[in-house]
RNA sequence: CGGGGCGUAGCGCAGUCUGGUAGCGCAUCUGCUUUGGGAGCAGAGGGUCGCGUGUUCAAAUCACGCCGCCCCGACCA
């Protein structure tokens, strides 16, 4: 993409309303624009990141055996009356009336809807277990939206729902999502730590929040240091026994502020104690028959008996992750995108557009990078060099490929690694090899 | 929802107390110069001062009402 044809409205100054770093950079780098309180338009750069995160989530869900579908944003109040949540949910739920005065709501979550779908289409135990998911916009009318997309009212969420015949099966489904989440966040360049979470009325130990560590995180968290750098399980057989992985991850202490127990924490060797700030990016839990019972969702078992469905649900805050990643990865100059979610991989910076040699080399490199499938943002504008450097540091593409007459006089261009700041000077062809090799 | 604050050009702000021709910086446009870390000079464009009602000869400024947004708290993917 050429900057001269792209749409990337940057802000040189920080809007007054943005308090935290991710919000500031998201506005300044032109990722989003606030439409109203807690509701954002996604501009091209931000939309590309959002799409990449979404795709990583999708691939890892599929890999774990979950099946994608898509449910609507607007739901009828009827189902929610059935589960009893229409009255319970309170003002967080946005309620709407259509022209016939029928009660609708903008879905804050989808347990009722998915339960309705499954109960009316699944008849036999032979069709289970299943994990179904969708990635859809939700709305929760937060009392006070803040922190940009980190706590908006409208947000993009991946939510999965598992349907099993018994509690043991539900646990297997839970474990699949647990492992899928570890892999998902790791692929985005994040270190996530599962922490025991409130299980509500069901009890048991089957609820975890996935927290990523960031200095500016919203909540205080405590955990054993070994959890942070624990390697992510590769080549997982999701149909095999996942318990060992779960045990390894849950046997060490990890808790958010609300669940923190100072005494237990104190028993960890001092050098292994980690008190840090964190951001919740995922939440998984098992809730048994909480919805299947009131909504009468059951299938015929092997002996013809009725079996109530055992369910769990599993959320990932997709839009929140955009902010969370920036919180976890930035510096004074701007965003530092992990490669997997960067809007472009390479920023090709022409330092002198009206220099013929520079133009020729840039055009050549740009064409070859594009042909090699390397997503490249090519700054072919007449801006001054300093302005371009600042811009590219701000938008945080992983690699900058810098081409100017001074270097070309020796037949050289420069590659800068945004994260480490390391630069190397080398001939254009070598730079091309370097940047295409690592994709 | 309780408490606090803000709304003036695309962004950041001054002007409001004490009513009297709407300003500054950045950005934008034009020209010249400049050109490897947010250039300089000269010029130009851009505003129903959030909306409404009232007070007044006169309202960005005073009064009342409404709307929007932000911050702190309680709540949350």
């Amino acid at each position: 993409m050429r900057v001269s044809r792209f749409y990337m409205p940057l802000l040189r100054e920080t809007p007054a309303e943005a308090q935290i770093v991710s919000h500031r950079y998201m506005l300044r780098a032109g990722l989003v624009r606030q439409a109203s309180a807690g509701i954002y338009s996604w501009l091209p750069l931000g939309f590309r990141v959002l799409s990449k995160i979404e795709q990583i989530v999708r691939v890892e869900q599929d890999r774990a055996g979950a099946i994608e579908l898509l449910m609507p944003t607007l739901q009828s109040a009827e189902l929610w009356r059935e589960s009893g949540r229409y009255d319970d949910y309170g003002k967080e739920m946005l309620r709407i009336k259509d022209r016939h005065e029928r009660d609708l709501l903008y879905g804050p979550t989808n347990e009722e809807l998915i339960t309705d779908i499954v109960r009316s289409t699944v008849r036999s135990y032979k069709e289970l277990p299943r994990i179904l998911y969708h990635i859809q916009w939700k709305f929760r009318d937060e009392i006070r939206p803040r922190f940009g997309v980190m706590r908006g009212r409208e947000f993009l969420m991946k939510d999965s729902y598992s349907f099993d015949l018994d509690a043991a099966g539900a646990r297997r489904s839970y474990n699949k999502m647990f492992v899928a989440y570890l892999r998902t966040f790791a692929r985005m360049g994040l270190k996530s730590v599962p922490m025991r979470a409130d299980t509500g009325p069901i009890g048991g130990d089957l609820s975890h929040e996935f927290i990523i560590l960031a200095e500016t995180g919203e909540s205080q968290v405590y955990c054993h240091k070994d959890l942070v750098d624990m390697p992510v399980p590769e080549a997982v057989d999701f149909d095999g026994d996942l318990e060992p992985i779960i045990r390894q991850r849950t046997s060490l202490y990890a808790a958010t502020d609300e669940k923190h127990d100072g005494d237990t924490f104190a028993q960890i060797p001092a050098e292994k104690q980690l008190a840090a700030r964190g951001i919740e990016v995922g939440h998984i839990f098992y809730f048994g028959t909480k919805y299947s019972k009131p909504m009468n969702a059951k299938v015929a078992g092997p002996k013809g008996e009725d079996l109530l469905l055992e369910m769990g649900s599993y959320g990932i805050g997709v839009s929140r992750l955009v902010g969370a990643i920036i919180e976890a990865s930035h510096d004074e100059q701007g965003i530092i995108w992990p490669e997997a979610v960067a809007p472009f991989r390479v920023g090709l910076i022409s330092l002198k557009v009206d220099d013929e040699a520079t133009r020729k080399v840039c055009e050549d490199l740009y064409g070859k990078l594009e042909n090699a499938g390397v997503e490249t943002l090519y700054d072919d504008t007449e801006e001054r060099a300093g302005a371009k450097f600042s811009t590219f540091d701000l938008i945080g593409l992983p690699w900058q490929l810098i081409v100017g007459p001074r270097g070309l006089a020796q037949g050289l261009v420069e590659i800068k690694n945004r994260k480490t700041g390391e630069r190397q000077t080398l001939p254009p062809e070598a730079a091309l090899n370097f940047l295409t090799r690592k994709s």
Side-chain angles (χ1 to χ4, degrees):
Chain A
M1 177 61 65
R2 292 167 191 271
V3 171
S4 61
R5 296 181 193 170
F6 197 41
Y7 178 66
M8 186 171 71
L10 305 178
L11 262 37
R12 187 148 168 183
E13 287 169 276
T14 303
E17 74 267 17
Q19 299 296 310
I20 61 166
V21 64
S22 63
H23 193 193
R24 288 203 294 266
Y25 283 151
M26 287 185 75
L27 293 173
R28 282 199 53 208
L31 270 53
V32 293
R33 232 187 114 75
Q34 179 164 307
S36 67
I39 302 176
Y40 292 84
S41 298
W42 291 80
L43 304 182
L45 215 49
F47 182 58
R48 290 177 74 100
V49 176
L50 187 68
S51 301
K52 294 208 168 175
I53 292 173
E54 182 180 335
Q55 188 58 22
I56 290 172
V57 171
R58 176 175 289 120
V59 167
E60 291 300 327
Q61 286 292 300
D62 293 348
R63 187 167 299 179
I67 310 294
E68 186 173 16
L69 48 71
L70 183 59
M71 290 177 272
T73 53
L74 292 176
Q75 304 179 25
S76 159
E78 285 309 308
L79 287 174
W80 287 70
R81 293 203 172 96
E82 236 185 287
S83 73
R85 283 210 291 180
Y86 192 69
D87 293 326
D88 292 349
Y89 218 91
K91 291 192 169 179
E92 270 208 349
M93 186 155 76
L94 180 64
R95 295 152 207 262
I96 304 167
K97 277 192 195 298
D98 70 9
R99 67 195 301 165
H100 303 294
E101 293 290 305
R102 282 185 294 238
D103 291 318
L104 296 176
L105 57 97
Y106 197 113
T109 176
N110 288 64
E111 279 84 4
E112 283 81 357
L113 203 45
I114 194 76
T115 302
D116 180 58
I117 291 169
V118 168
R119 74 175 168 184
S120 54
T121 53
V122 176
R123 293 275 116 83
S124 160
Y125 75 98
K126 292 177 185 172
E127 298 171 64
L128 296 180
R130 286 290 185 278
I131 301 175
L132 304 175
Y133 77 97
H134 76 339
I135 300 173
Q136 178 62 291
W137 290 92
K138 307 284 191 291
F139 193 91
R140 291 183 193 169
D141 201 356
E142 294 280 342
I143 296 169
R144 181 152 90 88
R146 57 183 135 172
F147 304 149
V149 300
M150 297 260 290
R151 191 173 323 157
R153 294 194 294 172
E154 188 184 53
F155 56 97
L156 186 60
M157 179 174 169
K158 186 285 300 178
D159 40 328
S160 309
Y161 303 92
S162 65
F163 298 89
D164 283 274
L165 298 167
D166 52 32
R171 182 173 187 101
R172 282 192 294 274
S173 294
Y174 184 92
N175 290 351
K176 287 181 186 181
M177 288 296 108
F178 189 108
V179 174
Y181 276 32
L182 290 175
R183 293 175 49 88
T184 300
F185 299 127
R187 279 194 52 190
M188 295 172 193
L190 298 171
K191 290 179 176 177
S192 70
V193 180
M195 301 198 178
R196 184 80 50 93
D198 216 332
T199 47
I202 304 295
D205 60 351
L206 290 187
S207 178
H208 287 89
E209 291 180 6
F210 283 73
I211 305 281
I212 64 162
L213 302 181
E215 280 173 31
T216 48
E218 55 187 345
S219 45
Q220 184 66 36
V221 298
Y222 305 86
C223 70
H224 194 291
K225 251 186 194 141
D226 290 356
L227 282 172
V228 178
D229 293 308
M230 202 170 273
V232 172
E234 300 287 341
V236 177
D237 173 14
F238 280 96
D239 291 320
D241 182 14
L242 299 176
E243 278 293 333
I245 300 176
I246 309 299
R247 260 199 304 278
Q248 181 194 32
R249 294 278 171 171
T250 55
S251 53
L252 294 174
Y253 184 82
T256 57
D257 214 9
E258 308 86 65
K259 306 274 290 180
H260 181 52
D261 173 17
D263 293 339
T264 313
F265 187 61
Q267 287 166 19
I268 302 171
E271 75 277 8
K272 293 291 189 186
Q273 291 179 9
L274 180 65
R277 305 295 295 177
I279 301 167
E280 181 184 354
V281 290
H283 196 164
I284 61 178
F285 52 95
Y286 160 73
F287 47 71
T289 59
K290 181 174 175 188
Y291 298 95
S292 53
K293 202 167 187 176
M295 295 182 67
N296 199 30
K298 56 196 180 190
V299 297
K303 295 167 192 151
E305 76 279 28
D306 279 347
L307 294 175
L308 271 184
L309 298 179
E310 286 280 333
M311 297 173 56
S313 73
Y314 316 89
I316 290 180
V318 175
S319 50
R320 159 177 274 207
L321 271 165
V322 179
I325 289 168
I326 296 172
E327 290 295 332
S329 182
H330 68 271
D331 64 15
E332 290 297 305
Q333 267 55 249
I335 302 167
I336 302 173
W337 290 116
E339 295 234 3
V341 301
F344 295 89
R345 183 150 185 273
V346 173
L348 172 58
I349 302 175
S350 169
L351 293 180
K352 196 167 165 63
V353 188
D354 52 9
D355 178 71
E356 182 55 23
T358 303
R359 196 194 63 79
K360 236 178 135 177
V361 172
C362 282
E363 291 290 334
D364 185 56
L365 285 170
Y366 177 56
K368 286 175 176 167
L369 284 166
E370 288 282 289
N371 282 336
V374 178
E375 292 176 308
T376 302
L377 184 62
Y378 168 29
D379 195 340
D380 58 343
T381 65
E382 291 177 24
E383 274 296 330
R384 302 169 63 82
K388 290 185 178 182
F389 290 137
S390 295
T391 294
F392 277 81
D393 283 348
L394 174 65
I395 67 175
L397 309 184
W399 300 97
Q400 294 171 14
L401 176 53
I402 301 161
V403 181
R406 190 178 297 176
L408 285 182
Q410 277 96 54
L412 298 173
V413 299
E414 189 178 13
I415 292 176
K416 175 181 163 185
N417 180 308
R418 174 65 181 86
K419 183 175 182 168
T420 63
E422 285 170 308
R423 298 162 181 274
Q424 42 184 317
T425 306
L426 65 186
E429 285 305 317
L432 194 62
N433 285 338
F434 179 83
L435 291 172
T436 50
R437 172 157 42 88
K438 293 192 70 174
S439 51

